[in-house]
Amino acid sequence: MNWGYKILFAYLLFVAGILFLAFKASQVRFDLVEKDYYEAELKYQDRIDAAGRTAALSQQPIVKVQDGSIMVQFPPEMATQQLTGEAHLYYPADANKDWRKRFQLQGNELLQLQAPGSHKGLHKLKLNWEVNGQSYYFEEAIYL
């Protein structure tokens, strides 16, 4: 075998490798954080303001994970208020495993959420709630 055939095989191997990588790259699924990310971006200032109001509280919400249950205790200022909001359990690896639950609490109730047990790993708990017309936002990374 002369050097011309060796160069030809090297080029063919290179082209086959590039085609294989292009095929594998086209098979990868990319999930967006938000399906309507443009609309979410327009409302992002509201989230920043709500997070600022949460930071101004005497303490942040306390999140505990026990036996597949997520418990959230809200700050003492919220003890006599009615809270309405939404808990979003964001799973970065797969958008199909995200989980949302609306809640309404009266007084000093503890928010208890039954975590979905089908997927373990790092999650981000995002809490949006409203008290007396003021919105609040809090997020914390948790491991289930």
Side-chain angles (χ1 to χ4, degrees):
M1 183 182 297
N2 66 17
W3 61 271
Y5 287 118
K6 291 178 185 177
I7 291 175
L8 177 65
F9 287 137
Y11 280 132
L12 290 177
L13 186 65
F14 175 74
V15 169
I18 293 296
L19 291 175
F20 174 75
L21 291 176
F23 172 75
K24 290 301 275 185
S26 70
Q27 300 300 312
V28 174
R29 192 181 89 224
F30 293 100
D31 293 326
L32 296 175
V33 173
E34 298 277 341
K35 290 193 187 311
D36 54 349
Y37 65 92
Y38 183 72
E39 182 180 328
E41 180 67 26
L42 293 175
K43 295 180 182 178
Y44 197 70
Q45 184 62 45
D46 296 336
R47 180 182 285 179
I48 293 171
D49 295 341
R53 280 189 284 280
T54 304
L57 295 173
S58 65
Q59 73 181 44
Q60 300 295 304
I62 299 168
V63 179
K64 293 181 184 174
V65 178
Q66 286 182 326
D67 302 326
S69 180
I70 303 168
M71 292 172 280
V72 180
Q73 182 176 0
F74 289 93
E77 295 94 10
M78 308 286 172
T80 59
Q81 308 293 328
Q82 180 175 355
L83 285 79
T84 57
E86 180 181 65
H88 177 200
L89 195 61
Y90 170 65
Y91 189 62
D94 188 357
N96 295 326
K97 295 180 180 176
D98 283 4
W99 176 81
R100 293 179 186 266
K101 180 166 171 80
R102 304 241 359 119
F103 64 87
Q104 186 169 8
L105 300 174
Q106 181 63 42
N108 201 15
E109 287 183 65
L110 188 68
L111 175 63
Q112 280 193 294
L113 304 167
Q114 195 61 32
S118 62
H119 47 282
K120 305 283 185 207
L122 182 66
H123 293 75
K124 192 174 280 191
L125 178 65
K126 299 178 180 184
L127 295 171
N128 292 305
W129 73 94
E130 191 170 304
V131 175
N132 296 332
Q134 291 288 333
S135 61
Y136 296 87
Y137 177 78
F138 176 76
E139 71 178 50
E140 183 172 315
I142 59 174
Y143 189 83
L144 297 177

